[in-house]
Amino acid sequence: MVQIITLKKGKEASLIRKHPWVFSGAIASNCESLEDGALVAVQSWNGTYLATGHFQHGSIAIRILSFVDEKFDQSFWNGRLNGMIQLRKNLGLLTPTNSIFRICHAEGDELPGLIIDYYSGVAVIQCHSIGMLQHLQEITKALKINLGDSLSAVYHKSSETLPKRLQVRDEYLYGQATTPHYAVEDSITYSIDWVQGQKTGFFIDQRDNRSLLGKLSKGKKVLNAFCYSGGFSLQALKHGASLVYSLDSSKRAISLVDENVAINKLQDRHISVVADAMEFMKDLPEAFDIIILDPPAFAKHLDKKHKAMQGYKRLNAHALRQIKSGGILVTFSCSQVIDKILFNHLIISAAIESRRNVKILYQLHQPADHPIGAFHPEGEYLKGIVVYVE
Ligand code: SAH
């Protein structure tokens, strides 16, 4: 049963602008007894229907699934999944040379709380809202209908993203697959393990940036810090880098890189290192032409913003101080609280601090299968800068 929630007077404006969140402070109704995950219809103070979404106790109280009064039945999910999959096919992401892409990017695909990644026949669903759990069956069926022969299994992995008290079990919802599983990105084969790996098994959001890095790498000595399964390293090696270091603090990540380098027969110019990047960057063992810094989010919340800013500046200053003349720093931030302009300022101030003259060559962001909802600018989370260091 869909419950009705009334907003305070004047708080309807953001929903009329189609922003997908309702904050708890905007709600007039008493929600104390509402269960996490409940489907709710939101109305303005004077009873006008605005949208329907999932309720969850917290600062973001409602995540909107639709601004039309409709049923979330099988045909709703078939239609939404059809639109998302067609878009990815039109973007050229399902081809013999690429079988890794994101099918659903939560708010960016107008389904807050739902991530679906695709790895050559296997879809991995990750829920970031409790409400999404109630639609898993319909979502799985819609994936089967829309992907047909291109789908052999659906795995659900939300034990890490939802509260522990729910005791969500990670499991196959359709078919079975074994990990490691092999899939291709931009003609490079990767071993993917959604069961043991970080997130859904792979950082798909760096696809375009990895391809760009490849083109810059011929004959270069490259350091790929925070490498996870080594996407940047593989692109550099494939495009003729003279030597590539892959560094991560996780042993499991480094064994994945080693496996990926071996599968693609690129071992001869590769060194892998298990170390803390912050420490390693203080005194590099060699002079590098290209340094890639792709750390995990230093700040997930606003209260950590100042510390995160210092962290980015310090890390990048270490790289800028030691990189060769004529070198290239490829640096990223995926912290939502550090926006594009602030990140630019941080990198420029790191350059000033390290007394290097720099030029910005490229400003990078997330790829097209991680779209940003036009009414949800907060969805732009991945920022990258490619700087030339004189
Ligand atoms: N660039 C990667 C994704 C990076 S994700 C890709 O293209 O796939 C961030 C990585 O940073 C994770 O693998 C995590 O294990 C690693 N990490 C986290 N803290 C670290 C630290 N202090 N030093 C080195 N690596 C770290």
Side-chain angles (χ1 to χ4, degrees):
M1 235 242 327
V2 181
Q3 317 232 17
I4 294 174
I5 285 190
T6 307
L7 299 186
K8 292 178 185 162
K9 192 171 180 179
K11 294 293 184 187
E12 63 280 5
S14 71
L15 287 186
I16 291 168
R17 282 198 312 269
K18 294 205 162 38
H19 191 282
W21 297 339
V22 176
F23 289 96
S24 56
I27 297 175
S29 309
N30 182 349
C31 298
E32 267 170 43
S33 60
L34 259 185
E35 278 193 25
D36 280 335
L39 262 178
V40 294
V42 189
Q43 63 178 23
S44 66
W45 63 280
N46 64 1
T48 309
Y49 171 87
L50 295 167
T52 307
H54 291 138
F55 177 83
Q56 194 164 322
H57 291 275
S59 161
I60 302 173
I62 305 166
R63 292 170 171 84
I64 302 301
L65 299 183
S66 178
F67 293 92
V68 189
D69 196 2
E70 61 185 322
K71 282 207 182 81
F72 301 106
D73 54 10
Q74 190 60 52
S75 74
F76 168 85
W77 293 102
N78 292 352
R80 288 290 191 97
L81 264 296
N82 179 52
M84 294 185 278
I85 291 168
Q86 277 311 321
L87 172 63
R88 275 64 180 179
K89 285 185 178 170
N90 293 341
L91 290 167
L93 295 174
L94 183 55
T95 64
T97 55
N98 195 84
S99 60
I100 300 177
F101 56 90
R102 177 156 288 188
I103 293 177
C104 179
H105 184 57
E107 281 84 357
D109 283 296
E110 295 163 78
L111 287 173
L114 181 65
I115 296 291
I116 309 175
D117 287 339
Y118 179 84
Y119 301 110
S120 192
V122 180
V124 183
I125 301 177
Q126 191 156 68
C127 298
H128 290 256
S129 71
I130 297 171
M132 258 318 153
L133 289 174
Q134 65 197 286
H135 309 292
L136 288 175
Q137 234 183 335
E138 288 88 351
I139 294 168
T140 303
K141 198 164 172 197
L143 283 167
K144 280 158 66 178
I145 291 169
N146 284 294
L147 283 164
D149 291 345
S150 305
L151 188 76
S152 54
V154 176
Y155 186 69
H156 173 226
K157 183 184 185 183
S158 301
S159 63
E160 291 166 3
T161 50
L162 291 179
K164 292 275 169 285
R165 65 184 157 79
L166 298 176
Q167 299 186 319
V168 176
R169 236 169 17 122
D170 297 337
E171 60 188 345
Y172 287 95
L173 301 177
Y174 163 65
Q176 281 287 329
T178 48
T179 50
H181 175 85
Y182 299 95
V184 205
E185 177 190 272
D186 192 15
S187 301
I188 296 175
T189 302
Y190 292 93
S191 163
I192 316 269
D193 186 347
W194 45 82
V195 178
Q196 303 284 339
Q198 296 183 28
K199 308 271 170 112
T200 66
F202 193 65
F203 289 87
I204 305 178
D205 56 0
Q206 290 287 21
R207 179 197 319 107
D208 293 353
N209 304 329
R210 289 194 271 258
S211 301
L212 171 71
L213 184 270
K215 296 186 186 106
L216 304 172
S217 301
K218 195 170 168 42
K220 306 289 187 202
K221 208 178 264 189
V222 178
L223 168 62
N224 179 14
F226 307 94
C227 65
Y228 189 52
S229 54
F232 284 105
S233 305
L234 279 131
Q235 280 283 358
L237 289 165
K238 187 183 148 198
H239 286 85
S242 58
L243 181 67
V244 176
Y245 273 66
S246 298
L247 179 141
D248 203 283
S249 57
S250 149
K251 269 192 198 148
R252 192 187 289 279
I254 289 300
S255 62
L256 265 175
V257 184
D258 289 339
E259 188 188 350
N260 288 331
V261 169
I263 299 168
N264 292 280
K265 302 193 171 49
L266 294 165
Q267 309 85 314
D268 56 327
R269 291 161 284 136
H270 184 247
I271 294 172
S272 47
V273 184
V274 178
D276 175 74
M278 275 294 192
E279 285 303 312
F280 190 85
M281 292 303 301
K282 285 183 187 164
D283 188 14
L284 294 176
E286 312 209 23
F288 290 96
D289 301 291
I290 297 181
I291 298 178
I292 301 137
L293 299 174
D294 184 20
F298 283 167
K300 292 216 167 85
H301 300 288
L302 264 181
D303 53 345
K304 301 270 166 31
K305 185 168 168 176
H306 184 66
K307 239 179 129 205
M309 285 166 59
Q310 289 175 318
Y312 284 116
K313 199 169 127 188
R314 205 174 324 121
L315 180 68
N316 283 280
H318 286 317
L320 286 164
R321 188 168 43 79
Q322 297 171 81
I323 200 165
K324 275 193 197 167
S325 266
I328 288 177
L329 171 67
V330 183
T331 183
F332 296 94
S333 163
C334 58
S335 299
Q336 223 124 19
V337 297
I338 308 279
D339 67 22
K340 199 161 47 183
I341 295 167
L342 177 56
F343 189 53
N344 265 29
H345 284 309
L346 288 172
I347 302 308
I348 290 164
S349 59
I352 294 169
E353 194 177 292
S354 49
R355 298 176 196 279
R356 298 300 294 264
N357 196 15
V358 300
K359 288 185 175 65
I360 295 175
L361 302 183
Y362 296 96
Q363 292 188 320
L364 308 175
H365 48 95
Q366 64 220 59
D369 53 342
H370 293 59
I372 302 159
F375 311 108
H376 181 251
E378 300 93 322
E380 181 172 12
Y381 71 99
L382 183 63
K383 285 107 0 203
I385 309 180
V386 181
V387 276
Y388 177 73
V389 189
E390 285 182 4

